Amino acid sequence: TELAWRFKKEGPFSGELTVKLAFSSMQGFLKELEDTNSQKEQIAKGLKVYNIEQPVYAELSEIKNRIEQLDEMWGMRKEWERQWDQWSVAKFRELDAEAMADDASKYRQRVRKIGRQIDGVWGVWTNLKDKVEEFIETLPLLQNLRDGSMRTRHWEALQ
């Protein structure tokens, strides 16, 4: 169908989109999907009159499934961005590096899980996976800098 083709081409798969634009795009496609399903039901009533079996529209089910996966993916990205914003404005001495590592590890697991479920490689998935992995790679540095043995002279040497 034309909707399926457009969804593959214009769906919110890109990691370059903002969360707001992605959710807006998904809402638009869901509305179109509902309209298409309503039309399908009307056609089914007419086909029933002539004892014609209604065709199966697998593409419509596929779009619905992809939108649900995208919703989960973009929801995770929204959570990650919110968490990142909290960490980035917190005072360095107040950061709990261990809790941050636990949170990042949970995000990593969730991102990997959905990565196994999606068809192909989505930009939003790759983007979030890379951000989480980069953050996890920097955590040892953060933990070392937060170490109680760091003295003023060490900080001065770093500057």
Side-chain angles (χ1 to χ4, degrees):
T1 65
E2 190 264 330
L3 177 60
W5 180 84
R6 260 190 341 90
F7 181 70
K8 285 181 182 179
K9 296 292 180 196
E10 301 170 11
F13 299 101
S14 170
E16 303 301 315
L17 294 173
T18 64
V19 172
K20 186 175 182 178
L21 281 174
F23 278 113
S24 175
S25 174
M26 284 186 285
Q27 288 302 316
F29 279 109
L30 277 174
K31 174 76 171 105
E32 285 187 63
L33 188 61
E34 289 172 11
D35 293 346
T36 302
N37 280 327
S38 294
Q39 290 174 352
K40 184 178 87 170
E41 290 172 13
Q42 291 299 323
I43 292 170
K45 291 176 185 176
L47 293 174
K48 193 174 185 178
V49 171
Y50 296 103
N51 289 328
I52 299 174
E53 193 171 315
Q54 179 181 356
V56 176
Y57 298 98
E59 293 172 329
L60 299 180
S61 297
E62 182 67 21
I63 292 171
K64 177 86 168 124
N65 290 338
R66 292 290 174 241
I67 289 175
E68 288 171 359
Q69 290 173 324
L70 282 165
D71 186 63
E72 182 180 356
M73 189 74 244
W74 282 102
M76 279 192 285
R77 177 152 161 193
K78 183 177 181 178
E79 289 174 31
W80 176 258
E81 288 177 359
R82 188 178 306 131
Q83 184 66 61
W84 176 258
D85 289 344
Q86 289 175 355
W87 289 333
S88 64
V89 297
K91 292 182 180 175
F92 186 73
R93 290 282 176 204
E94 295 173 0
L95 292 174
D96 183 351
E98 223 166 282
M100 292 168 75
D102 289 343
D103 289 344
S105 179
K106 289 174 187 172
Y107 278 108
R108 176 196 271 166
Q109 288 175 332
R110 290 173 62 199
V111 170
R112 285 180 177 172
K113 180 181 176 188
I114 198 168
R116 290 187 296 270
Q117 297 169 355
I118 62 176
D119 183 23
V121 177
W122 297 351
V124 62
W125 177 80
T126 303
N127 184 278
L128 182 58
K129 179 184 74 69
D130 291 347
K131 285 181 180 184
V132 172
E133 293 297 333
E134 286 172 16
F135 179 74
I136 288 173
E137 287 175 13
T138 63
L139 277 172
L141 174 63
L142 177 68
Q143 290 167 329
N144 287 338
L145 292 174
R146 294 256 313 125
D147 191 318
S149 64
M150 286 289 287
R151 303 284 183 242
T152 305
R153 62 186 156 93
H154 297 127
W155 285 106
E156 289 170 359
L158 286 173
Q159 292 176 346

